[in-house]
Amino acid sequence: MKIANTIIKVLTALAAVAGVVYIVATYGEQIVAWCKKTLENLPKCPKCEEDAEVEVEITVEEAVEEPVAEEVPAEEPAEEVVVEEVPVVDEAEPVADEADFAE
């Protein structure tokens, strides 16, 4: 029964993907045209309109600036590696096997 359910789920997922591919292939141009028309009809934000109207004047002196030397950060000391001690197991002490935990 589990195998049948898994097969049905896989076939359903494949059918959904095939449906989406068919719709995009058939109506893709119409979907793109609708999206463009919708985006053009959206109201413009006031901040964007203000930024578009501002003209920036740059003089030649401002455009040619001296290159700024980048600061190289000082090397940080390497972190110390902490080695954890492995506890010593006494051979007389019982140890659990994987089979002990199997259902």
Side-chain angles (χ1 to χ4, degrees):
M1 194 63 174
K2 284 185 178 181
I3 295 173
N5 286 337
T6 304
I7 292 172
I8 290 172
K9 288 179 183 178
V10 169
L11 290 176
T12 304
L14 289 174
V17 169
V20 169
V21 169
Y22 173 77
I23 289 172
V24 169
T26 305
Y27 302 107
E29 293 177 5
Q30 294 173 353
I31 293 170
V32 170
W34 175 81
C35 290
K36 285 182 179 179
K37 185 176 85 175
T38 303
L39 289 175
E40 288 173 358
N41 292 335
L42 289 176
K44 305 286 186 214
C45 69
K47 184 177 180 184
C48 295
E49 289 177 359
E50 290 174 9
D51 290 343
E53 294 174 6
V54 175
E55 293 183 18
V56 179
E57 294 181 17
I58 300 177
T59 62
V60 176
E61 295 151 359
E62 291 176 357
V64 179
E65 295 180 4
E66 295 294 322
V68 179
E70 295 180 18
E71 287 187 30
V72 178
E75 284 189 29
E76 296 179 11
E79 295 181 17
E80 293 183 23
V81 178
V82 178
V83 179
E84 295 180 15
E85 293 183 22
V86 179
V88 178
V89 179
D90 185 20
E91 291 189 25
E93 191 173 317
V95 178
D97 291 331
E98 290 294 325
D100 296 338
F101 297 105
E103 291 180 20

